[in-house]
Amino acid sequence: MRFWLINGTLHTALSPEPLRADLLVEDGRIAAIGSAPAGETAVDCAGMQIFPGLVEAHSHTGLDGFAIGYEGEDQNEYTEPVCPELRAIDGFNPFDKAVGNARRAGITCIATGAGSANALGGTFTAVKTVGRCVDDMAVRECVAMKCAFGENPKNNHRSKHITSRMTIAAKLRGALAKARDCMRRLEEAETKGGKKPDFDFRSEALLPVLRGEIPLKAHAHQTNDILTAIRIAKEFGVKLTLDHCTEGHLVAEKIARAGVPVAVGPSFSFPSKPELANKSFATPGILDRAGVQVSIVTDAPVIPQEYLALSAALAVKAGMDPFHALQAITINPARMLGIADRVGSLEVGKDADLVVVDGDILNPMSNVKAVYIDGTLCE
C-alpha cells in the first residue's frame, strides 16, 4: 500500500518547529517526507496536525484492563515475591477493550507487564494497540525486567517474610547475585569446556539484565526507594529505569547525575497511600529541566490510557516545556523501551504509526480524526 498524507502540519517529535510537508506511507513505513508528486494517491489533511503515534512506557493494559476484577486480573503473582521468569506476553489479552480505547486516542504502542506486588515480577513487552494475536502485535517481546520497591511488595507479601524496605532490597540483591554467579559458571563452561550448571529458571531469566540487554524497570515512588534502585543498579552494573518516580523532583540532581531515564505518573490520581503524599504534575517538568530523560505515563488502568495526552497537558500547565511534554509521550518512551528505531517520531524508515488531529494533541479540546498503525487506517 502506498499513499501520501498531504497539506497537513507535521510534528516530528524531534524538532520543536512544526513542518509543513507531505508524508509518504509505503508498505507500512514512512517512506518520504517532502512534497507529493502530482497524480499520487493522497489523503488530504488540510487544517490537520499530524503527530507520531503516542507511546506509553508503563502500563498494565491487557493484563489488568477494562472492567476486570480479580478473576480477570493477570498482572501480579501473589504466591511468592520473586518471580523474574514471568513474561507479560503470556498473559496479554488483545481483546481487552482498553486496548481499543487507547488506540482511538492516538496511542499506538504501549509497554505492558507485571504490577508492583512483587520484588521481581517478570518482563514487560511492547505491543502495538491493534491486532488479535499478541505475537503479531509485539514490537519487542522483552523490553524490561520489572522490580518494585516500597509499600506494594511489603503489603502483598507480609506473610512471605517481607516487612521492610530493607528486605525488598535484599531479595533483589540476592536474586541478582545468584544470577551473576549462574552467568559466570555458564561462561566458564562455554570457554573452558566444563560442565554447565544445573538449569535455574529464575537466574537465567535475569541474564538479559546482567548482560545489559534490558533494564531493570523499577517501581519507585519515595526518594529512599529511588536512591536504593540507583544504588543496586550501580552495584551490579545494570541498566535502570525509574517508573512512577513520584518524589523524583526532590532528588532531581541525583537522578540526572545517575543518567537514569524516568517514567513519571500516574499523576492524575488521588494520593491514596503515604508514598504518594508528594505527588505533583510539576514533577516531569522539574526532572526535565534538571536534564533527565522524562516520559509521562498513566499506569493504566490506574488512569485510563486514553488520557495520556491529557496527563502531558497537565504537566505543561504545571510548568513543563510543551515540546518536551510531547517528547515525553512519543520519542522518550520509545528510547526508554529500546524501540526508537521503529516508533516515537516521524522519520523516514520508521513504522507509519500516525495520529491526525484537528489541533494540538496536548489541547484537551482537540479531536483525533484518524489513527494509522503500520500504515493501516484503524477503526
Side-chain angles (χ1 to χ4, degrees):
M1 183 185 299
R2 174 188 170 96
F3 63 93
W4 288 84
L5 297 181
I6 63 172
N7 300 325
T9 300
L10 306 184
H11 298 264
T12 65
L14 297 176
S15 169
E17 297 302 321
L19 181 65
R20 288 302 304 270
D22 304 327
L23 184 148
L24 173 63
V25 174
E26 187 170 16
D27 297 328
R29 299 292 183 94
I30 300 173
I33 295 175
S35 297
E40 291 274 341
T41 301
V43 177
D44 191 354
C45 297
M48 297 290 113
Q49 311 282 316
I50 303 173
F51 296 85
L54 305 187
V55 183
E56 166 131 21
H58 181 113
S59 76
H60 312 289
T61 302
L63 296 163
D64 183 10
F66 192 87
I68 289 178
Y70 175 76
E71 289 304 316
E73 189 258 296
D74 280 309
Q75 66 162 320
N76 285 304
E77 178 54 60
Y78 294 105
T79 60
E80 50 191 308
V82 176
C83 41
E85 71 276 17
L86 305 185
R87 303 187 308 164
I89 198 168
D90 295 325
F92 180 79
N93 175 19
F95 298 96
D96 177 3
K97 289 185 179 180
V99 176
N101 291 344
R103 179 180 65 251
R104 286 184 284 274
I107 302 158
T108 57
C109 184
I110 61 173
T112 187
S116 50
N118 305 88
L120 270 167
T123 53
F124 267 56
T125 189
V127 298
K128 297 291 183 76
T129 54
V130 67
R132 293 173 174 267
C133 173
V134 66
D135 302 275
D136 299 330
M137 298 164 72
V139 178
R140 188 179 176 197
E141 181 177 324
C142 296
V143 293
M145 173 65 68
K146 179 67 177 291
C147 64
F149 298 86
E151 295 177 43
N152 288 10
K154 284 172 60 178
N155 290 336
N156 282 289
H157 293 285
R158 285 188 182 276
S159 63
K160 300 174 184 68
H161 313 295
I162 293 182
T163 59
S164 75
R165 282 179 161 82
M166 295 179 290
T167 307
I168 296 167
K171 285 190 176 293
L172 178 56
R173 280 192 179 95
L176 288 170
K178 187 176 181 182
R180 184 171 59 185
D181 182 63
C182 174
M183 183 172 68
R184 177 187 60 79
R185 289 184 291 140
L186 286 169
E187 290 172 351
E188 286 181 355
E190 185 174 335
T191 57
K192 298 179 181 179
K195 183 179 180 297
K196 285 186 177 182
D198 292 338
F199 178 68
D200 182 333
F201 197 10
R202 289 179 175 172
S203 290
E204 295 204 19
L206 285 167
L207 295 185
V209 176
L210 291 167
R211 291 171 178 158
E213 297 166 7
I214 59 173
L216 283 175
K217 190 175 185 65
H219 165 109
H221 288 284
Q222 286 188 180
T223 55
N224 50 357
D225 295 323
I226 290 167
L227 297 177
T228 296
I230 292 172
R231 187 181 310 113
I232 292 175
K234 185 176 180 181
E235 287 173 18
F236 286 89
V238 299
K239 296 177 181 178
L240 176 73
T241 69
L242 292 169
D243 290 49
H244 307 308
C245 205
T246 301
E247 292 188 348
H249 57 283
L250 301 178
V251 287
E253 294 77 13
K254 289 279 189 183
I255 297 171
R257 281 199 293 272
V260 178
V262 304
V264 181
S267 302
F268 195 20
S269 61
F270 186 75
S272 56
K273 52 187 177 178
E275 63 187 11
L276 303 183
N278 288 309
K279 178 182 289 196
S280 169
F281 272 109
T283 303
I286 293 170
L287 288 165
D288 175 64
R289 290 190 293 276
V292 179
Q293 180 185 293
V294 176
S295 298
I296 291 172
V297 300
T298 63
D299 194 21
V302 178
I303 303 302
Q305 204 152 36
E306 54 266 36
Y307 296 129
L308 178 61
L310 176 60
S311 296
L314 290 170
V316 172
K317 183 178 180 181
M320 190 175 191
D321 176 82
F323 174 64
H324 292 176
L326 174 63
Q327 290 189 308
I329 55 175
T330 53
I331 191 61
N332 284 356
R335 289 168 176 158
M336 175 182 281
L337 300 171
I339 55 174
D341 60 323
R342 289 189 56 183
V343 300
S345 61
L346 301 184
E347 294 180 82
V348 172
K350 285 196 174 183
D351 296 358
D353 294 353
L354 314 166
V355 186
V356 181
V357 187
D358 64 4
D360 184 351
I361 201 165
L362 298 184
N363 182 345
M365 300 304 292
S366 297
N367 299 292
V368 172
K369 293 297 186 179
V371 176
Y372 295 85
I373 296 180
D374 295 324
T376 298
L377 179 64
C378 300
E379 55 90 11

